[in-house]
Amino acid sequence: MIKEMIHGLREMLILLFLAVFSKATGAKAYSRGVMIQEGAAYCLSWRLAVEANNVRAWRTVPSQCLRYVETYMLGGQYERDLDLIVGQILSYVNGIAPSSDGMDAWILDVDDTCISNVLYYRGKRYGCDPYDPAGFRAWALKGRCPAIPAVLELFSYLVQSGFKVFLVTGRDQETLGQVTLDNLHYEGFVGYKRLILRTAEFKGQSAVAYKSEIRRQIEEEGYRIWGNVGDQWSDLQGECLGNRTFKLPNPMYFVP
């Protein structure tokens, strides 16, 4: 009888220990899971604020969001977002009947609009490191920026539909002009009206001021700008914006 009581008590103590241990480890796992979930939620909110232009003049991606931005850029969501936006652009394009005078125009930015710099920014921790002008210039001089497939498809459709496409970039004409042209052609961007790079005349100007002036000159030539596509808000602000603007996602850097 006593032996059975001792055995029962021993079983109760073991069950009690297991229950306490399970609760403790479960709480720890839950706490860690909540921390991870909250970190991802913050980075999602941060990216949304960036894309909505509510966070401005930011210099670097928050260090805690490095893996989040990496996953966004390489894990498939970036491409899905691009496909959705380009789908909206194509729906808009299909509602336009180009004139026979050949003066219907579109403007596309170049870096991270037509061609991608994600391979470069991988080495810069996806924007967690400060902007490095010399490093980016060395990367651009290699001429290895791959096309962004969804935008290449859009570009080809615009050209085939009779629109004149202007590629406007803040890249320096003197140092990066030829390599940029070669890079674009190699990646399939052929048939555009003009590639426009920053000349000495616009040195030191903000992207907004520079691109506004370029668009004004295009309109003064008689072109009607139906659409303007870029990954930076500075591509889409200022004067002579055209009939509609379309912002592509880019959580890696901010150009004022």
Side-chain angles (χ1 to χ4, degrees):
M1 182 71 176
I2 295 176
K3 186 176 180 180
E4 291 177 354
M5 291 178 61
I6 293 174
H7 181 72
L9 181 61
R10 182 182 177 186
E11 288 185 344
M12 289 179 61
L13 289 172
I14 291 173
L15 290 172
L16 180 62
F17 171 78
L18 290 174
V20 172
F21 178 79
S22 176
K23 184 176 181 180
T25 56
K28 185 177 180 180
Y30 175 74
S31 177
R32 182 182 179 188
V34 168
M35 289 175 64
I36 294 173
Q37 187 176 16
E38 288 180 350
Y42 166 78
C43 294
L44 174 61
S45 296
W46 177 83
R47 183 174 66 84
L48 176 62
V50 164
E51 297 299 352
N53 204 30
N54 291 324
V55 176
R56 301 181 182 182
W58 51 278
R59 297 188 64 236
T60 60
V61 171
S63 58
Q64 65 266 39
C65 296
L66 187 158
R67 296 305 174 202
Y68 172 85
V69 174
E70 178 182 40
T71 300
Y72 173 75
M73 295 302 299
L74 303 182
Q77 189 58 52
Y78 171 65
E79 285 80 7
R80 286 188 286 271
D81 289 351
L82 283 174
D83 287 344
L84 188 148
I85 295 168
V86 169
Q88 293 297 308
I89 298 174
L90 290 172
S91 294
Y92 167 64
V93 172
N94 287 330
I96 303 171
S99 174
S100 59
D101 63 6
M103 302 302 286
D104 296 296
W106 275 75
I107 293 177
L108 273 62
D109 173 52
V110 173
D111 283 300
D112 294 300
T113 297
C114 292
I115 53 178
S116 173
N117 294 299
V118 71
L119 294 176
Y120 168 76
Y121 277 98
R122 181 173 62 184
K124 297 297 181 180
R125 301 195 304 146
Y126 298 96
C128 290
D129 293 343
Y131 177 59
D132 176 9
F136 180 79
R137 189 181 306 110
W139 155 257
L141 282 169
K142 295 177 181 179
R144 299 176 184 171
C145 301
I148 295 176
V151 180
L152 179 57
E153 177 186 350
L154 168 65
F155 168 84
S156 299
Y157 189 80
L158 289 172
V159 172
Q160 293 166 12
S161 298
F163 293 97
K164 298 299 186 294
V165 179
F166 292 82
L167 305 181
V168 183
T169 174
R171 289 188 177 197
D172 177 63
Q173 168 74 54
E174 183 178 358
T175 57
L176 297 176
Q178 188 61 50
V179 71
T180 301
L181 185 149
D182 292 342
N183 193 162
L184 286 164
H185 283 202
Y186 181 80
E187 292 298 325
F189 290 91
V190 179
Y192 53 80
K193 177 64 178 179
R194 195 180 307 157
L195 170 63
I196 302 173
L197 298 96
R198 188 189 290 259
T199 60
E201 175 188 358
F202 299 103
K203 186 176 181 180
Q205 286 192 4
S206 69
V208 173
Y210 158 61
K211 293 198 170 184
S212 290
E213 177 58 22
I214 295 301
R215 292 191 298 266
R216 185 187 66 78
Q217 292 177 9
I218 290 172
E219 287 191 343
E220 285 185 348
E221 292 179 30
Y223 288 98
R224 297 176 292 274
I225 301 174
W226 284 98
N228 182 9
V229 183
D231 67 295
Q232 298 292 315
W233 279 102
S234 53
D235 299 327
L236 312 173
Q237 295 173 324
E239 305 299 324
C240 308
L241 294 173
N243 197 53
R244 280 195 66 175
T245 61
F246 296 90
K247 171 72 167 65
L248 303 184
N250 185 352
M252 298 186 296
Y253 58 88
F254 177 91
V255 177

